[in-house]
Structures are given as C-alpha cells and as structure tokens.
Amino acid sequence: MFESLQDRLGSIFSGLTGRGALSDKDVAAALREIRRALIEADVALEVVRDFTDRVREKAVGVDVVKSVKPGQMVVKIVHDELVEMLGSEGETIDLNAPSPVVIMMVGLQGSGKTTTSAKIAKRLTGRDKKKVLMASLDTRRPAAQEQLRQLGEQVDVVTLPIIEGQSPSDIAKRAVQAGKLGGYDVVILDTAGRTHIDEPLMIEMADIRKHADPHEILLVADSLTGQDAVNLAKSFDERVGITGLVLTRMDGDGRGGAALSMRAVTGKPIKLIGTGERMDEMEEFHPKRIADRILG
Ligand code: GDP
C-alpha cells in the first residue's frame, strides 16, 4: 500500500532533512518533486495542484528557509496537508439511526461488494455485538445470491431466504420488514453490479433506495482502477447519492491514487479499506495513520 509514494517522498525528504539550511530555490525544487511523485502515484491532477499550492503557501507563511530545522518543517507541512486531503478525522460506518439501520452496498460487478458485505457483517456482529441480517438483491445472478449465503454461513450471519421471481426492490422491502420483525440492528443489502455503469443499473439503485430508505449507501470500488474509481464514485453519487466509500484491493495497490484523491474530488469519505480476501482483512480509514504510513 502506497509503496511508490513512500519511496519517492522518502528520498525527497532525506535530501531536505539532511541539510542545515534551505534556500527558496531548494523548497521550490522539492515541491516540484513532490508534485511529480503524486502524479506518478496516480493522484488526480486537480488534487495535486491544490495540495502543492497549500504546501507552498504554508511553507512561505512559516518562513521555512529561516527556521532552525527547515527540512523537518517541510515534512511536517506535507504531513498535515496530507491528513487534510484525506479527510482529517476520518469517518466510519454510522449506525446512529433507528433499528434496523439499513446499509446499502453499491458498485460494479467484481469490485468486492459481496465480500465486503460479509466482512462488515462479521465486524458488526463480532466486535460491535449487533444483530445483522444480510440480503442479496442480485436477481440476475443466482451465483451471487449463493455466494452471499455461503459467506453468511462462514461468518455466522443470517441471510434472507430467496423467493424466486421477486424484484430487487421487493427483496429490499422484505429484508427491511424481516429486520423489523426479527429485532435486527442492521440490515445489509448487497445490490447487483454490472461490468460498467448503465442506465438500468442506476434506475434499479434509485428504486431500491426509495423502498429501503438506507442510512448508509456505501460504494465499493476497486482501488486498482485508480482514477476510474474516483469517476465511478462521482457518477454514483450524482445518480444515487452515496454516504461513503469502501476501497478494496488496497493490499495490491502500490500507488494509491484512488485512496489519495477520493475525498478531495468527491467530498465523500472513505470509510473502510479492503486489504485481502479473508473475512478479517478490512481496516478503517484513518487519515492520520495513512499519512504516517506514507511518510514513514
Ligand atoms: P462483487 O461482484 O462486487 O460482489 O465482488 P466479490 O465480492 O465477489 O469479489 C470479487 C473478488 O475480489 C473475490 O475473489 C474476492 O475475494 C476479491 N476481493 C474482494 N475484496 C478484496 C480485497 O480487499 N483484497 C483482495 N486481494 N481481494 C479482494
């Protein structure tokens, strides 16, 4: 995760902190290198521009050049701006609503929706001691419904039985009803994906939203798709409205462009990251911890 940026920033900073004095020119050169490193990590250009502008402004404001440890000052400014860019405090799933709290999972096929639904269910039942019901709304792919059922068994979470012929919004209504009657705290709706965004998918998502009134709508996106994931989040947000994101396959993502740009471009928080295929391989997204990790 973030290895390319870690390496690049590491060498830029060791060049800065190893010296006693810095000139304005040195700072400007470092900023150019930081800019290049962010672009190579596939961070959205507008985000790179804003970021370097803010670092430059702060660096001038605190008179980096005249400070005792100018290199360390630059590192600190970059760190703080990175945290800001990633969303400061960080956010996680919000369960602050009347039971059952409905969490609707949306995203493209193969992004990791079903896996993430089960990971979230496992975390909520285990760590948070919640009573959770999961339902698959993928009426076009029986294999997807079966996959959720099997994962449910694996993590010991109930899945809504399938009734042939029901539409996705019918299943959503039935799941919420079963959630109410059964005294569940949380209902997780795993919706159908497609290989790309199309109109029927958006209409289906909007329809489910109307009937299930979810408190959280989480877009699951593959971090390896970089800026495509960011554009996907924008489109889903415009059409369906999302409350946050889960970025999967962070374990294989050495660049991290989607994770780094997502918040700044979409205004929506990354709430969780997937770090592997196993049911416990999911982490909360803490901007400060991520910045610490990137800057070593
Ligand atoms: P869906 O079509 O969106 O429901 O996607 P799935 O949940 O079926 O996931 C597709 C594949 O991605 C499966 O093989 C998962 O095990 C895998 N996967 C999901 N999340 C992660 C992750 O965070 N890291 C890795 N390495 N694999 C993941």
Side-chain angles (χ1 to χ4, degrees), residues 26 41 48 51 127 164 191 211:
D26 296 328
V48 176
F51 179 83
R127 193 190 68 178
E164 291 295 326
T191 66
H211 287 98

Side-chain angles (χ1 to χ4, degrees), residues 108-116 119 141 147 190 248-251 274-277 281:
L108 297 183
Q109 197 173 305
S111 58
K113 241 181 305 94
T114 306
T115 312
T116 306
K119 285 179 178 176
R141 286 173 58 240
Q147 187 195 356
D190 181 19
T248 57
R249 300 208 181 81
M250 287 292 293
D251 47 305
T275 54
E277 298 199 40
E281 288 179 315

Side-chain angles (χ1 to χ4, degrees), residues 23-82:
S23 67
D24 283 336
K25 253 180 155 173
D26 296 328
V27 176
L31 268 170
R32 270 198 304 277
E33 283 186 61
I34 293 169
R35 182 187 152 80
R36 206 170 303 141
L38 290 169
I39 290 171
E40 278 170 27
D42 190 32
V43 178
L45 282 179
E46 65 201 269
V47 178
V48 176
R49 203 174 310 124
D50 278 359
F51 179 83
T52 42
D53 282 352
R54 281 200 311 272
V55 172
R56 184 178 302 112
E57 221 168 84
K58 273 198 175 175
V60 172
V62 299
D63 248 338
V64 163
V65 180
K66 289 190 204 124
S67 69
V68 185
K69 290 183 170 166
Q72 270 92 334
M73 290 285 271
V74 175
V75 178
K76 178 163 187 329
I77 292 169
V78 169
H79 179 274
D80 293 351
E81 284 304 321
L82 209 48

